[in-house]
C-alpha cells in the first residue's frame, strides 16, 4: 500500500516478503528467520527476493513461540510462495517439522519439485497416498518464476500454480501440534538436499 504499510489478509499468521537477503523478519508477529549459509539479494516478481544460491544455504524459523498452533488446532494451513530455481534438485522448498510426525518429522512439507520434476505435498507425515501425500508431475519450467499455493483444509488438499488449480486430493492424516523448526530451502530438518534457487 502507499507509504509502505503492509495490508494483511485476515487470519494470516505469518508473512515474510523476503525482499532481500536481510529481510528475514515476518510482518505479522515479528518472527525472525535465521540464515544458514550465505544468502544474496535478487530481483523478485514483486520487489526483491532471497537467492539461496547453489550451495548449502537455507532459512529456518523457530516454532517454539506457538505461531503455528492455529494451523494444527483447525487442521488447516495455506502456504504461498514465489520460486525460481537455478536447477531442479531432489529437495524441499518448505519443511515444517513436528517431533511426533512420522516420515522425517514432516508435518507440512513440499518438494517443488523433487528431482524427477514431480511436485509432492506431504502433511502429518510421509509418504502415504491415502493419509499424508498428494503428488503430480510438474509439467512446467521450474527455472522460471512461478507462484505456488499449498492448502490443507481438513482432509482436503489442493495445490495451485500461478493461480490455477494444479492438483487436489484427500488425505486423512491430521496436523500434529508439537511444531518444531520450519526449514525453507532444504530437506530433512536441514540435513538433506539443498534447494538451488530464489524465493
Amino acid at each position: 500500500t502507499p507509504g509502505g504499510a503492509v495490508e494483511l489478509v485476515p487470519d494470516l499468521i505469518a508473512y515474510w516478503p523476503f525482499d532481500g537477503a536481510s529481510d528475514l523478519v515476518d510482518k505479522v508477529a515479528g518472527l525472525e528467520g535465521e540464515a544458514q549459509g550465505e544468502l544474496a539479494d535478487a530481483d523478485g516478481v514483486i520487489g526483491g527476493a532471497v537467492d539461496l544460491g547453489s550451495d548449502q544455504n537455507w532459512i529456518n524459523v523457530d516454532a517454539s513461540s506457538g505461531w503455528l498452533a492455529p494451523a494444527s488446532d483447525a487442521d488447516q494451513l495455506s502456504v504461498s510462495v514465489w520460486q525460481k530455481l537455478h536447477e531442479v534438485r531432489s529437495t524441499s522448498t518448505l519443511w515444517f517439522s513436528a517431533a511426533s510426525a512420522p516420515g522425517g518429522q514432516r508435518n507440512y512439507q513440499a518438494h517443488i519439485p523433487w528431482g524427477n520434476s514431480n511436485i509432492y505435498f506431504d502433511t502429518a507425515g510421509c509418504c502415504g497416498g491415502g493419509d499424508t501425500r498428494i503428488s503430480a508431475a510438474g509439467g512446467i519450467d521450474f527455472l522460471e518464476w512461478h507462484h505456488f499455493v499449498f492448502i490443507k483444509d481438513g482432509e482436503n488438499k489442493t495445490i495451485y500454480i500461478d493461480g490455477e488449480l494444479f492438483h487436489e486430493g484427500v488425505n486423512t492424516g491430521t496436523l500434529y501440534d508439537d511444531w518444531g523448526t520450519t526449514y525453507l530451502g532444504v530437506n530433512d530438518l536441514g540435513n538433506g538436499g539443498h534447494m538451488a534457487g530464489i524465493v
Side-chain angles (χ1 to χ4, degrees):
T1 62
V6 177
E7 191 171 310
L8 300 177
V9 176
D11 299 322
L12 189 67
I13 59 174
Y15 170 61
W16 283 269
F18 291 142
D19 200 22
S22 61
D23 184 21
L24 303 182
V25 179
D26 130 75
K27 305 306 183 205
V28 176
L31 301 164
E32 293 191 31
E34 183 178 346
Q36 305 297 318
E38 296 293 325
L39 308 180
D41 293 338
D43 291 330
V45 176
I46 304 168
V50 175
D51 191 341
L52 300 175
S54 297
D55 295 323
Q56 297 184 1
N57 309 308
W58 74 93
I59 300 166
N60 61 271
V61 180
D62 182 20
S64 63
S65 67
W67 69 277
L68 284 163
S72 47
D73 289 349
D75 195 32
Q76 297 175 323
L77 182 63
S78 299
V79 175
S80 167
V81 62
W82 283 96
Q83 173 184 287
K84 177 181 179 181
L85 296 181
H86 300 308
E87 65 178 289
V88 173
R89 295 180 173 177
S90 293
T91 187
S92 299
T93 299
L94 51 109
W95 184 301
F96 293 57
S97 70
S100 298
Q105 298 185 13
R106 299 177 210 208
N107 208 18
Y108 195 100
Q109 181 267 341
H111 299 299
I112 318 173
W114 193 243
N116 59 7
S117 290
N118 289 349
I119 296 175
Y120 296 94
F121 178 22
D122 297 307
T123 54
C126 174
C127 302
D131 58 350
T132 60
R133 169 173 281 180
I134 63 171
S135 64
I140 61 172
D141 183 356
F142 290 98
L143 306 185
E144 297 295 331
W145 280 109
H146 293 285
H147 183 249
F148 301 91
V149 180
F150 295 84
I151 301 170
K152 176 172 174 41
D153 183 7
E155 293 185 350
N156 300 307
K157 289 168 59 177
T158 51
I159 303 169
Y160 287 84
I161 301 177
D162 297 329
E164 299 290 330
L165 178 64
F166 166 71
H167 188 57
E168 60 188 336
V170 173
N171 286 158
T172 58
T174 58
L175 294 171
Y176 292 87
D177 62 5
D178 56 341
W179 297 93
T181 302
T182 296
Y183 301 86
L184 306 174
V186 65
N187 279 341
D188 193 21
L189 310 180
N191 299 312
H194 295 79
M195 176 182 159
I198 307 170
V199 292

